[in-house]
Amino acid sequence: MAAPETHTDKYIACASIVPDCPFEATATTEEELLRMVAAHAAHDHGIEEVTPELAAKVKAAIQNR
């Protein structure tokens, strides 16, 4: 019998913060996911500085998969 999977990926859908944005990302760590989200925000939404309020919204939108 195989041991239960203990690895959990982190997932975010940008649409949970920015309606109609199709960007989704999955990473093995929250830090890696946040780097991906920051790059997306800069490239696709023109966000150069992440405010504490935006960071809180992003962290609240992260799901375990």
Side-chain angles (χ1 to χ4, degrees), residues 20-32:
D20 300 323
C21 180
F23 177 81
E24 296 180 348
T26 303
T28 56
T29 66
E30 185 173 303
E31 293 78 20
E32 182 183 357

Side-chain angles (χ1 to χ4, degrees), residues 1-2 8-9 12-13 15 17-22 31 42-43 46-48 52-53 55-57 60 64:
M1 179 180 233
T8 303
D9 284 333
I12 192 166
I17 302 163
V18 179
D20 300 323
C21 180
E31 293 78 20
H43 183 266
I47 296 172
E48 295 179 13
E53 294 82 11
K57 286 182 182 180
N64 290 325

